[in-house]
Coordinates of all heavy atoms in Angstrom, one line a residue:
M1 N 52.1 -9.7 5.6 CA 52.7 -11.1 5.6 C 52.8 -11.5 4.2 O 51.9 -11.3 3.4 CB 51.9 -12.1 6.4 CG 52.0 -11.7 7.9 SD 50.9 -12.7 8.9 CE 51.0 -14.3 8.4
S2 N 53.8 -12.1 3.8 CA 53.9 -12.6 2.4 C 53.6 -14.1 2.5 O 53.5 -14.8 3.5 CB 55.4 -12.4 2.0 OG 56.3 -13.2 2.7
P3 N 53.4 -14.7 1.3 CA 53.0 -16.0 1.1 C 54.1 -17.1 1.8 O 53.8 -18.1 2.3 CB 52.8 -16.4 -0.2 CG 52.4 -15.1 -0.8 CD 53.1 -14.1 0.0
E4 N 55.3 -16.6 1.7 CA 56.5 -17.4 2.2 C 56.4 -17.5 3.7 O 56.9 -18.5 4.3 CB 57.7 -16.9 1.8 CG 58.1 -16.9 0.3 CD 57.4 -15.7 -0.5 OE1 57.2 -14.6 0.2 OE2 57.2 -15.9 -1.7
E5 N 55.7 -16.7 4.4 CA 55.7 -16.5 5.9 C 54.6 -17.5 6.4 O 54.5 -17.8 7.6 CB 55.5 -15.2 6.4 CG 56.7 -14.3 6.2 CD 56.5 -12.8 6.5 OE1 55.4 -12.4 6.2 OE2 57.3 -12.3 7.2
L6 N 53.6 -17.8 5.6 CA 52.5 -18.6 6.0 C 52.8 -20.1 5.9 O 53.4 -20.6 5.0 CB 51.2 -18.3 5.2 CG 50.7 -16.9 5.3 CD1 49.6 -16.6 4.2 CD2 50.2 -16.6 6.7
T7 N 52.2 -20.9 6.8 CA 52.4 -22.3 6.9 C 51.3 -22.9 5.8 O 50.4 -22.2 5.6 CB 52.3 -23.0 8.2 OG1 51.0 -22.6 8.7 CG2 53.2 -22.4 9.2
P8 N 51.5 -24.1 5.4 CA 50.5 -24.7 4.5 C 49.1 -24.9 5.3 O 48.1 -24.6 4.6 CB 51.1 -26.1 4.2 CG 52.5 -25.9 4.4 CD 52.7 -24.9 5.5
A9 N 49.1 -25.1 6.6 CA 47.9 -25.1 7.3 C 47.3 -23.7 7.5 O 46.0 -23.7 7.2 CB 48.1 -25.6 8.7
A10 N 48.0 -22.7 7.5 CA 47.4 -21.4 7.5 C 46.8 -21.1 6.2 O 45.8 -20.4 5.9 CB 48.5 -20.4 7.9
L11 N 47.6 -21.3 5.1 CA 47.0 -21.2 3.7 C 45.8 -21.9 3.5 O 44.8 -21.4 2.9 CB 48.1 -21.6 2.7 CG 49.4 -20.6 2.6 CD1 50.4 -21.3 1.7 CD2 48.8 -19.3 2.0
E12 N 45.7 -23.1 3.9 CA 44.4 -23.9 3.8 C 43.4 -23.3 4.5 O 42.1 -23.3 4.1 CB 44.7 -25.3 4.2 CG 43.6 -26.3 4.1 CD 43.0 -26.4 2.6 OE1 43.7 -26.2 1.6 OE2 41.8 -26.6 2.5
A13 N 43.6 -22.7 5.7 CA 42.5 -22.2 6.6 C 42.1 -20.9 5.9 O 40.9 -20.6 5.9 CB 43.1 -21.9 7.9
M14 N 42.8 -20.2 5.4 CA 42.5 -19.0 4.8 C 41.6 -19.2 3.4 O 40.7 -18.5 3.1 CB 43.7 -18.2 4.3 CG 44.4 -17.3 5.5 SD 45.9 -16.5 5.0 CE 45.4 -15.6 3.7
R15 N 42.0 -20.3 2.8 CA 41.2 -20.6 1.6 C 39.9 -21.1 1.9 O 39.0 -20.7 1.3 CB 42.0 -21.8 0.8 CG 41.3 -22.1 -0.6 CD 41.9 -23.3 -1.1 NE 41.6 -24.6 -0.4 CZ 40.4 -25.0 -0.3 NH1 39.3 -24.5 -0.9 NH2 40.3 -26.2 0.4
R16 N 39.7 -21.8 3.0 CA 38.5 -22.3 3.4 C 37.6 -21.2 4.0 O 36.3 -21.2 3.8 CB 38.5 -23.4 4.6 CG 38.8 -24.7 4.0 CD 38.9 -25.7 5.0 NE 40.0 -25.4 5.9 CZ 40.3 -26.1 7.1 NH1 39.5 -26.9 7.6 NH2 41.3 -25.6 7.9
W17 N 38.1 -20.3 4.8 CA 37.3 -19.3 5.6 C 37.1 -18.0 4.8 O 36.2 -17.2 5.1 CB 37.9 -19.0 6.9 CG 37.8 -20.3 7.9 CD1 38.7 -21.3 8.0 CD2 36.7 -20.7 8.5 NE1 38.2 -22.2 8.9 CE2 36.9 -21.9 9.1 CE3 35.3 -20.3 8.5 CZ2 36.0 -22.7 9.9 CZ3 34.4 -21.0 9.2 CH2 34.7 -22.2 9.9
S18 N 38.0 -17.8 3.8 CA 37.8 -16.5 3.0 C 37.0 -16.7 1.8 O 37.6 -17.5 1.0 CB 39.0 -15.8 3.0 OG 40.0 -16.4 2.2
T19 N 36.0 -16.0 1.5 CA 35.3 -16.2 0.2 C 35.1 -14.8 -0.3 O 35.1 -13.8 0.3 CB 34.1 -17.0 0.3 OG1 33.2 -16.2 1.2 CG2 34.3 -18.4 0.9
D20 N 34.5 -14.8 -1.6 CA 34.0 -13.4 -2.2 C 32.5 -13.5 -2.2 O 31.8 -12.9 -3.0 CB 34.6 -13.5 -3.6 CG 35.8 -12.7 -3.7 OD1 36.3 -12.1 -2.7 OD2 36.5 -12.8 -4.7
T21 N 31.8 -14.2 -1.4 CA 30.4 -14.2 -1.2 C 29.8 -12.8 -1.1 O 28.8 -12.4 -1.7 CB 29.9 -15.1 -0.1 OG1 30.5 -16.4 -0.2 CG2 28.4 -15.3 -0.1
G22 N 30.4 -12.1 -0.2 CA 29.8 -10.7 0.0 C 29.8 -9.9 -1.2 O 29.0 -9.1 -1.5
R23 N 31.0 -9.9 -1.9 CA 31.2 -9.0 -3.1 C 30.3 -9.6 -4.2 O 29.7 -8.9 -4.9 CB 32.6 -9.3 -3.5 CG 33.0 -8.2 -4.6 CD 34.4 -8.3 -5.0 NE 35.3 -8.3 -3.9 CZ 36.7 -8.4 -4.0 NH1 37.2 -8.7 -5.1 NH2 37.4 -8.4 -2.9
N24 N 30.1 -10.9 -4.3 CA 29.2 -11.4 -5.3 C 27.7 -11.0 -5.0 O 27.0 -10.8 -5.9 CB 29.2 -13.0 -5.3 CG 30.6 -13.3 -5.8 OD1 31.2 -12.6 -6.6 ND2 30.9 -14.7 -5.5
F25 N 27.2 -11.0 -3.8 CA 25.9 -10.8 -3.4 C 25.6 -9.2 -3.3 O 24.4 -8.8 -3.2 CB 25.4 -11.5 -2.1 CG 25.1 -12.8 -2.3 CD1 25.9 -13.8 -1.7 CD2 24.0 -13.3 -3.2 CE1 25.5 -15.2 -1.9 CE2 23.8 -14.6 -3.4 CZ 24.6 -15.6 -2.6
A26 N 26.6 -8.4 -3.3 CA 26.4 -6.9 -3.2 C 25.5 -6.4 -4.2 O 24.7 -5.5 -3.9 CB 27.8 -6.3 -3.2
L27 N 25.6 -6.9 -5.5 CA 24.7 -6.3 -6.6 C 23.5 -6.8 -6.3 O 22.4 -6.1 -6.6 CB 25.3 -6.8 -7.9 CG 26.7 -6.1 -8.2 CD1 27.2 -6.8 -9.6 CD2 26.6 -4.7 -8.4
I28 N 23.2 -8.0 -5.9 CA 21.8 -8.5 -5.7 C 21.1 -7.8 -4.5 O 19.9 -7.5 -4.6 CB 21.8 -10.1 -5.5 CG1 22.5 -10.7 -6.8 CG2 20.5 -10.6 -5.2 CD1 22.8 -12.3 -6.5
L29 N 21.9 -7.6 -3.4 CA 21.3 -7.1 -2.3 C 21.2 -5.5 -2.2 O 20.4 -4.9 -1.4 CB 22.1 -7.4 -1.1 CG 22.0 -9.0 -0.6 CD1 23.0 -9.2 0.5 CD2 20.6 -9.4 -0.3
A30 N 21.9 -4.8 -3.1 CA 22.0 -3.4 -3.0 C 20.6 -2.8 -3.3 O 20.2 -1.8 -2.7 CB 23.1 -2.9 -4.1
I31 N 19.9 -3.3 -4.3 CA 18.7 -2.7 -4.8 C 17.6 -2.8 -3.7 O 17.1 -1.9 -3.3 CB 18.2 -3.3 -6.1 CG1 19.1 -2.9 -7.2 CG2 16.8 -2.9 -6.4 CD1 18.9 -3.5 -8.5
P32 N 17.3 -4.1 -3.0 CA 16.4 -4.1 -2.0 C 16.8 -3.4 -0.9 O 15.9 -2.7 -0.2 CB 16.2 -5.5 -1.8 CG 17.1 -6.3 -2.6 CD 17.8 -5.5 -3.5
V33 N 17.9 -3.4 -0.5 CA 18.4 -2.7 0.8 C 18.2 -1.2 0.6 O 17.8 -0.4 1.5 CB 19.8 -3.1 1.2 CG1 20.3 -2.2 2.3 CG2 19.9 -4.5 1.6
S34 N 18.6 -0.7 -0.5 CA 18.5 0.7 -0.9 C 17.0 1.2 -0.9 O 16.6 2.2 -0.4 CB 19.1 1.1 -2.2 OG 20.5 0.9 -2.3
L35 N 16.1 0.3 -1.5 CA 14.7 0.6 -1.4 C 14.2 0.7 -0.1 O 13.4 1.6 0.2 CB 14.0 -0.3 -2.4 CG 14.2 -0.3 -3.9 CD1 13.5 -1.4 -4.6 CD2 13.6 1.0 -4.4
I36 N 14.4 -0.3 0.7 CA 13.9 -0.3 2.1 C 14.5 0.9 2.8 O 13.8 1.6 3.6 CB 14.4 -1.6 2.8 CG1 13.6 -2.8 2.1 CG2 14.1 -1.7 4.3 CD1 14.1 -4.2 2.5
W37 N 15.7 1.2 2.8 CA 16.4 2.3 3.5 C 15.9 3.6 3.1 O 15.5 4.5 3.9 CB 17.9 2.2 3.3 CG 18.6 3.4 4.0 CD1 19.2 4.4 3.6 CD2 18.8 3.4 5.4 NE1 19.8 5.3 4.5 CE2 19.5 4.6 5.7 CE3 18.4 2.6 6.5 CZ2 19.9 4.9 7.0 CZ3 18.8 3.0 7.7 CH2 19.5 4.1 8.0
T38 N 15.6 3.8 1.8 CA 15.0 5.0 1.3 C 13.6 5.2 1.8 O 13.2 6.2 2.2 CB 15.1 5.1 -0.2 OG1 16.6 4.9 -0.6 CG2 14.7 6.4 -0.8
T39 N 12.8 4.1 1.6 CA 11.5 4.3 2.1 C 11.3 4.5 3.5 O 10.6 5.3 4.0 CB 10.8 2.8 1.8 OG1 10.9 2.5 0.3 CG2 9.3 2.9 2.2
L40 N 12.2 3.9 4.3 CA 12.2 4.2 5.8 C 12.5 5.6 6.0 O 11.8 6.2 6.8 CB 13.1 3.1 6.5 CG 13.3 3.4 8.0 CD1 12.0 2.9 8.7 CD2 14.4 2.5 8.5
N41 N 13.5 6.1 5.5 CA 14.0 7.5 5.7 C 12.8 8.5 5.2 O 12.5 9.4 6.0 CB 15.2 7.8 5.0 CG 16.4 7.3 5.7 OD1 16.5 7.4 6.9 ND2 17.4 6.9 4.9
F42 N 12.3 8.3 4.0 CA 11.2 9.2 3.6 C 9.9 9.1 4.5 O 9.2 10.0 4.7 CB 10.9 8.9 2.1 CG 11.8 9.8 1.2 CD1 12.8 9.0 0.4 CD2 11.7 11.0 1.1 CE1 13.5 9.6 -0.4 CE2 12.7 11.8 0.2 CZ 13.6 11.1 -0.4
A43 N 9.6 8.0 4.9 CA 8.4 7.7 5.7 C 8.7 8.5 7.2 O 7.7 9.1 7.6 CB 8.2 6.2 6.1
I44 N 9.9 8.4 7.7 CA 10.1 9.2 9.0 C 10.0 10.6 8.7 O 9.4 11.4 9.4 CB 11.5 8.8 9.5 CG1 11.4 7.3 9.9 CG2 12.0 9.7 10.6 CD1 12.8 6.7 10.4
L45 N 10.6 11.2 7.6 CA 10.6 12.7 7.3 C 9.0 13.0 7.1 O 8.7 14.1 7.5 CB 11.4 12.9 6.1 CG 12.9 12.8 6.3 CD1 13.7 13.0 5.0 CD2 13.4 13.8 7.3
A46 N 8.3 12.2 6.4 CA 6.9 12.5 6.1 C 6.2 12.6 7.4 O 5.3 13.4 7.7 CB 6.3 11.5 5.2
F47 N 6.4 11.6 8.3 CA 5.7 11.6 9.6 C 6.1 12.8 10.4 O 5.2 13.4 11.1 CB 6.1 10.2 10.4 CG 5.6 10.2 11.8 CD1 4.2 10.1 12.0 CD2 6.3 10.5 12.9 CE1 3.7 10.1 13.2 CE2 5.8 10.4 14.1 CZ 4.5 10.3 14.3
L48 N 7.4 13.1 10.4 CA 7.7 14.3 11.2 C 7.2 15.6 10.6 O 6.7 16.5 11.4 CB 9.2 14.5 11.3 CG 10.1 13.3 12.1 CD1 11.4 13.5 11.9 CD2 9.5 13.4 13.5
G49 N 7.1 15.7 9.4 CA 6.4 17.0 8.7 C 4.8 16.9 9.1 O 4.4 18.0 9.4
W50 N 4.3 15.7 9.1 CA 2.9 15.7 9.5 C 2.7 16.1 10.9 O 1.7 16.9 11.3 CB 2.3 14.3 9.2 CG 0.9 14.1 9.7 CD1 -0.2 14.4 9.2 CD2 0.5 13.5 10.9 NE1 -1.3 14.0 9.8 CE2 -0.9 13.5 11.1 CE3 1.3 12.9 11.9 CZ2 -1.6 12.9 12.0 CZ3 0.5 12.5 13.0 CH2 -0.9 12.5 13.1
L51 N 3.5 15.6 11.8 CA 3.5 15.9 13.2 C 3.7 17.3 13.5 O 3.0 18.0 14.3 CB 4.5 15.0 14.0 CG 4.5 15.1 15.4 CD1 3.2 14.5 15.9 CD2 5.6 14.3 16.1
R52 N 4.6 17.9 12.8 CA 4.9 19.3 12.9 C 3.7 20.2 12.5 O 3.3 21.1 13.2 CB 6.1 19.8 12.1 CG 6.5 21.2 12.2 CD 7.8 21.4 11.5 NE 8.0 22.9 11.2 CZ 7.9 23.6 10.1 NH1 7.6 22.9 9.0 NH2 8.0 24.9 10.1
S53 N 3.0 19.8 11.4 CA 1.9 20.6 11.0 C 0.6 20.4 12.0 O -0.1 21.4 12.1 CB 1.4 20.2 9.6 OG 0.8 18.9 9.6
R54 N 0.6 19.2 12.6 CA -0.5 19.1 13.6 C -0.2 19.8 14.8 O -1.1 20.5 15.3 CB -0.6 17.6 13.9 CG -0.9 16.7 12.8 CD -2.3 16.8 12.6 NE -3.1 16.3 13.7 CZ -4.5 16.2 13.8 NH1 -5.2 16.4 12.8 NH2 -5.0 15.7 14.9
I55 N 1.0 19.9 15.2 CA 1.3 20.8 16.4 C 1.1 22.2 16.0 O 0.5 22.9 16.9 CB 2.8 20.5 16.9 CG1 3.0 19.1 17.4 CG2 3.2 21.5 17.8 CD1 4.3 18.6 17.7
K56 N 1.5 22.6 14.9 CA 1.4 24.0 14.5 C -0.2 24.5 14.5 O -0.5 25.5 15.0 CB 2.1 24.3 13.3 CG 2.1 25.7 12.8 CD 2.9 25.9 11.5 CE 2.9 27.3 11.1 NZ 3.7 27.5 9.8
S57 N -0.9 23.6 13.8 CA -2.4 23.9 13.8 C -3.0 23.9 15.2 O -3.9 24.7 15.5 CB -3.0 23.0 12.9 OG -3.1 21.6 13.3
A58 N -2.6 23.0 16.1 CA -3.1 22.9 17.4 C -2.8 24.3 18.2 O -3.6 24.8 18.8 CB -2.6 21.8 18.2
K59 N -1.6 24.8 18.0 CA -1.2 26.1 18.6 C -2.1 27.1 18.1 O -2.4 28.0 18.7 CB 0.3 26.3 18.4 CG 1.2 25.5 19.2 CD 2.7 25.8 19.0 CE 3.6 25.0 19.8 NZ 5.0 25.3 19.5
Q60 N -2.2 27.2 16.8 CA -3.0 28.2 16.2 C -4.5 28.1 16.7 O -5.2 29.2 16.9 CB -3.0 28.1 14.7 CG -1.8 28.6 14.0 CD -1.6 28.4 12.6 OE1 -2.5 27.6 11.9 NE2 -0.6 29.0 12.0
R61 N -5.0 27.0 16.8 CA -6.4 26.9 17.4 C -6.4 27.3 18.8 O -7.4 27.9 19.2 CB -6.9 25.3 17.3 CG -7.4 25.0 16.0 CD -8.1 23.7 16.0 NE -7.3 22.5 16.7 CZ -6.6 21.7 16.0 NH1 -6.5 21.7 14.7 NH2 -6.0 20.8 16.7
E62 N -5.4 27.1 19.6 CA -5.3 27.5 21.1 C -5.3 29.0 21.0 O -5.9 29.6 21.8 CB -4.1 26.9 21.7 CG -4.1 27.2 23.1 CD -5.2 26.7 24.0 OE1 -5.8 25.7 23.6 OE2 -5.7 27.4 24.9
I63 N -4.5 29.6 20.2 CA -4.3 31.1 20.1 C -5.8 31.7 19.7 O -6.1 32.7 20.2 CB -3.3 31.4 19.2 CG1 -1.8 31.2 19.8 CG2 -3.3 33.0 18.9 CD1 -0.7 31.4 18.9
G64 N -6.4 31.0 18.7 CA -7.7 31.5 18.3 C -8.8 31.5 19.4 O -9.7 32.3 19.4
K65 N -8.6 30.5 20.3 CA -9.6 30.5 21.4 C -9.4 31.7 22.4 O -10.3 32.1 23.0 CB -9.5 29.1 22.2 CG -10.0 28.0 21.5 CD -9.8 26.7 22.2 CE -10.1 25.5 21.4 NZ -9.9 24.2 22.1
R66 N -8.2 32.0 22.5 CA -8.0 33.1 23.6 C -8.1 34.5 22.9 O -8.3 35.5 23.6 CB -6.4 33.0 24.0 CG -6.3 31.8 24.9 CD -4.8 31.8 25.4 NE -3.9 31.3 24.4 CZ -2.7 31.4 24.4 NH1 -2.0 32.0 25.3 NH2 -1.9 30.7 23.5
V67 N -8.2 34.7 21.6 CA -8.2 36.0 21.0 C -9.7 36.0 20.5 O -10.1 35.2 19.8 CB -7.2 36.1 19.8 CG1 -7.6 37.4 19.1 CG2 -5.8 36.0 20.3
R68 N -10.4 37.1 20.8 CA -11.7 37.4 20.3 C -11.6 38.4 19.3 O -11.1 39.4 19.4 CB -12.6 37.9 21.5 CG -14.1 38.0 21.0 CD -14.9 38.5 22.1 NE -16.4 38.6 21.7 CZ -16.8 39.5 21.0 NH1 -16.0 40.6 20.7 NH2 -18.1 39.7 20.6
V69 N -12.2 38.0 18.1 CA -12.2 38.8 17.0 C -13.4 39.9 17.1 O -14.5 39.4 17.3 CB -12.2 38.1 15.7 CG1 -12.3 39.0 14.5 CG2 -11.0 37.2 15.6
V70 N -13.1 41.2 16.9 CA -14.2 42.1 17.0 C -14.4 42.6 15.6 O -13.5 43.2 14.9 CB -13.8 43.3 17.9 CG1 -14.8 44.3 18.0 CG2 -13.4 42.8 19.2
L71 N -15.6 42.3 15.1 CA -16.0 42.7 13.8 C -16.3 44.3 13.9 O -16.6 44.8 14.9 CB -17.2 41.9 13.3 CG -16.9 40.5 13.2 CD1 -18.1 39.7 12.9 CD2 -15.9 40.2 12.2
P72 N -16.2 44.9 12.7 CA -16.4 46.4 12.6 C -17.9 46.8 13.2 O -18.0 47.8 13.8 CB -16.2 46.7 11.1 CG -15.5 45.7 10.6 CD -15.8 44.4 11.4
H73 N -18.9 46.0 12.9 CA -20.2 46.4 13.5 C -20.4 46.1 14.9 O -21.3 46.6 15.5 CB -21.3 45.7 12.6 CG -21.3 44.1 12.9 ND1 -20.5 43.4 12.2 CD2 -22.0 43.4 13.7 CE1 -20.9 42.1 12.6 NE2 -21.8 42.1 13.5
E74 N -19.5 45.5 15.6 CA -19.4 45.2 16.9 C -18.5 46.2 17.8 O -18.6 46.1 19.0 CB -19.0 43.7 17.2 CG -19.9 42.7 16.7 CD -19.3 41.3 16.8 OE1 -18.1 41.2 17.2 OE2 -20.1 40.3 16.6
S75 N -17.8 47.0 17.0 CA -16.9 47.9 17.7 C -17.6 48.9 18.5 O -18.7 49.5 18.1 CB -16.0 48.6 16.6 OG -15.2 49.6 17.2
P76 N -17.1 49.3 19.7 CA -17.7 50.4 20.4 C -17.8 51.6 19.7 O -18.8 52.4 20.0 CB -16.8 50.5 21.7 CG -16.1 49.3 21.7 CD -16.0 48.7 20.4
R77 N -16.9 52.0 18.9 CA -17.0 53.2 18.2 C -18.2 53.3 17.2 O -18.7 54.4 17.0 CB -15.7 53.5 17.4 CG -14.5 53.7 18.3 CD -13.2 54.1 17.5 NE -12.1 54.4 18.4 CZ -10.9 54.5 18.1 NH1 -10.6 54.4 16.7 NH2 -10.0 54.7 18.9
T78 N -18.4 52.2 16.7 CA -19.5 52.2 15.6 C -20.9 52.3 16.3 O -21.9 52.7 15.7 CB -19.4 51.0 14.7 OG1 -19.5 49.8 15.4 CG2 -18.2 51.1 13.9
R79 N -20.9 51.9 17.5 CA -22.2 52.0 18.3 C -22.6 53.4 18.6 O -23.8 53.7 18.8 CB -22.1 51.0 19.5 CG -22.1 49.5 19.3 CD -22.0 48.8 20.5 NE -21.9 47.4 20.2 CZ -21.4 46.5 21.1 NH1 -21.5 46.9 22.3 NH2 -21.2 45.3 20.8
E80 N -21.5 54.1 18.8 CA -21.9 55.6 19.1 C -22.5 56.5 18.1 O -22.4 56.4 17.0 CB -20.6 56.3 19.7 CG -20.1 55.6 21.0 CD -18.7 56.1 21.3 OE1 -18.0 56.8 20.6 OE2 -18.3 55.7 22.4

């Protein structure tokens, strides 16, 4: 639409309701929003890594309980 197609009331409404506030505050808000977003993402990734290591170590402990290690001096061959 060109300015010739708009009525004076429409032009006044556009002037009142449209502003550059978002563009002006973008620089101010970009730093805290980026810091919060980055912290949240790294915290989630760190938690998932910690959880994965806990699950892996629990599985290894469970396998260790089922497997009995036979030391060389306990071997049946060495007893003979």
Side-chain angles (χ1 to χ4, degrees):
M1 291 176 40
S2 67
E4 293 83 24
E5 296 175 314
L6 296 173
T7 63
L11 287 171
E12 180 61 27
M14 285 175 53
R15 187 190 63 76
R16 276 185 299 171
W17 292 102
S18 63
T19 63
D20 269 349
T21 305
R23 195 179 305 173
N24 291 334
F25 282 117
L27 293 175
I28 297 169
L29 291 175
I31 293 172
V33 169
S34 297
L35 289 173
I36 292 168
W37 182 250
T38 304
T39 303
L40 180 68
N41 283 324
F42 277 109
I44 290 171
L45 290 174
F47 174 73
L48 291 176
W50 175 80
L51 187 63
R52 181 175 169 252
S53 69
R54 296 284 295 184
I55 291 170
K56 188 176 179 181
S57 66
K59 283 182 182 178
Q60 288 175 346
R61 281 195 305 266
E62 184 62 33
I63 290 171
K65 288 179 183 176
R66 288 185 278 165
V67 175
R68 185 178 181 280
V69 177
V70 177
L71 298 175
H73 67 278
E74 296 174 346
S75 171
R77 289 184 180 173
T78 57
R79 289 182 192 168
E80 295 173 356

